[in-house]
Amino acid sequence: MHKRLILQLVVSTMTVAGLLLASSIRGPVLAESAHPAVDAKKLIEEAKTAGLAPLPAVQAPADATAEARITLGRRLFYENRVSQDGNVSCGHCHQADLAASDGLPKAIGVFGKVNPRNAPSIFNAGLQFKQHWRGDRESLEDQAEKSLTGAASFGNPDFAAVKAKLVEIPGYKEAFAKGFPGDPDPISSKNWGLAVAAFERTLLTPSRYDAFLAGDAKALSPAEQAGLHKFIEVGCASCHDGPGLGGGSFQKFGVVEDYWKETGAVAPDKGRADVTKNDADLYVFKVAQLRNVAKTAPYFHDGSVAELPRAVRIMGKVQLGKDLSDKDVSEIVAFLGSLTGPVPANYLPLTPFPDAPAAK
Ligand code: HEC
Ligand code: HEC
């Protein structure tokens, strides 16, 4: 009796070993079992409770004027001729194949001037409560207008210099008039901002993650689901929440430990303190959005970290005081990969208006 039980145990252990062996040959079964099955329904609830949310749908243009404005904004977005050296447009630093970022630690504007900070993705940017790493731009409109005179972006002295170029290019007078009917002076800085921002608001990038939140349990792989669970469990979502997984608040970068000790940044950026002149804002930045983050390396406001796993590990350490395990990091990175959505179809340049015919 006793012996039989032991024998049975041995046999069943062997069976388990055999099954394991078989499943390791089949591969995926073992890979999946490395991520304990998470109940997808529970996980969706958990995500919602943590303040995570799907992207809203893109609003169709309300009328022909709204449509003309978006088309104008799209054209202006790719217009090099308004920059001081004729080579820089918004699209220069916000490239389609890099989810509207530029792959550089710090962006390079007119005459090769280096911008003080990294170019973030502009997809889904309209959902943010402020623009720029330090939140020093109130809205997409404000951001687009001020870009034109930025020393390390377009380099223009004022909007008059931009307007002088726009009126020379056949097509813009009509295009601005169509986008702003009834405006006696349609080619204005304000309307530049309105048109470019109207275009940017169409640039939402829903992904498999949105399908998952909408109830499609199979939209995320087991590893990605485990990563989403980890992301919430360790506390990432306490800052990276909302539809953009960020973009909704300011937080100190380096809650637990100075960020530059981990990122290796040589001349630490003081963040919002330089904007508000308030010491309480020292090293405070906008919580970065994480949509398409797998495509927007290098990371952080100074582009100091080249790889996503390292950026995740640093976040765990300096924001939460946690040493994430390799498994935690790889699951979170797998989850972050599910936030990559297709490039919006209209994020492509239109055929530019031709140059003005040379004076005879
Ligand atoms: C020379 C490269 C360059 C050009 C040209 C450029 N940008 Fe940017 N963009 C950046 C950088 C760098 C930042 C971050 C600046 C900061 O936070 O200080 C940024 C930030 C932004 C943001 C804020 C995103 C966020 O998450 O906070 C938006 C929106 C944006 N740019 C749109 C535009 C538009 C529209 C244009 C054209 C009018 C433009 N950019 C031209 C480099 C550029
Ligand atoms: C206390 C708030 C807070 C917490 C918690 C937090 N973050 Fe962040 N996160 C930020 C801020 C602020 C930034 C912007 C840092 C900067 O200015 O470079 C950021 C940036 C990032 C970036 C870089 C994005 C980019 O485009 O360069 C990644 C990736 C990231 N966080 C992931 C995570 C992950 C994963 C966790 C959990 C392990 C986490 N964060 C926890 C506030 C937080």
Side-chain angles (χ1 to χ4, degrees), residues 133 231 234-236 238-240 251-253 255 285-290 293 296 299-301 308 311-312 315-316 319-320 324 332 336:
W133 289 99
F231 185 84
V234 302
C236 311
S238 65
C239 291
H240 295 278
Q251 296 289 339
K252 188 174 177 193
F253 184 19
V255 175
F285 293 86
K286 187 184 67 193
V287 175
Q289 289 205 74
L290 299 179
V293 72
T296 63
Y299 300 104
F300 300 127
H301 62 266
L308 190 52
V312 167
M315 273 282 129
Q319 302 303 84
L320 296 160
L324 299 177
I332 291 174
L336 294 177

Side-chain angles (χ1 to χ4, degrees), residues 76-77 88-94 102 106-110 113 115-123 125-126 128 130-137 139-140 143-145 147-148 152-154 192 196-197 200 286 288-289 301:
L76 296 173
F77 192 90
V88 171
S89 69
C90 310
H92 177 81
C93 302
H94 299 289
D102 68 357
K106 290 177 180 172
I108 298 178
V110 282
K113 282 191 194 150
N115 197 286
R117 276 166 287 276
N118 169 266
S121 170
I122 61 157
F123 291 161
Q128 304 186 105
K130 303 267 172 172
Q131 302 298 325
H132 279 191
W133 289 99
R134 304 178 303 167
D136 56 340
R137 298 290 182 267
S139 61
L140 290 180
Q143 197 287 328
E145 282 191 66
S147 275
L148 289 173
S153 48
F154 287 80
W192 163 284
V196 171
E200 289 177 293
K286 187 184 67 193
Q289 289 205 74
H301 62 266

Side-chain angles (χ1 to χ4, degrees), residues 262-333:
E262 294 296 328
T263 66
V266 265
D269 189 322
K270 295 201 171 95
R272 265 188 83 64
D274 283 334
V275 179
T276 63
K277 312 291 172 212
N278 181 348
D279 280 353
D281 291 330
L282 203 56
Y283 313 123
V284 167
F285 293 86
K286 187 184 67 193
V287 175
Q289 289 205 74
L290 299 179
R291 291 268 174 186
N292 302 295
V293 72
K295 305 203 80 176
T296 63
Y299 300 104
F300 300 127
H301 62 266
D302 52 7
S304 54
V305 170
E307 279 132 16
L308 190 52
R310 198 173 151 231
V312 167
R313 203 177 285 282
I314 290 172
M315 273 282 129
K317 188 133 200 205
V318 308
Q319 302 303 84
L320 296 160
K322 285 180 184 157
D323 282 309
L324 299 177
S325 69
D326 289 350
K327 184 165 173 278
D328 291 345
V329 171
S330 79
E331 285 176 349
I332 291 174
V333 168

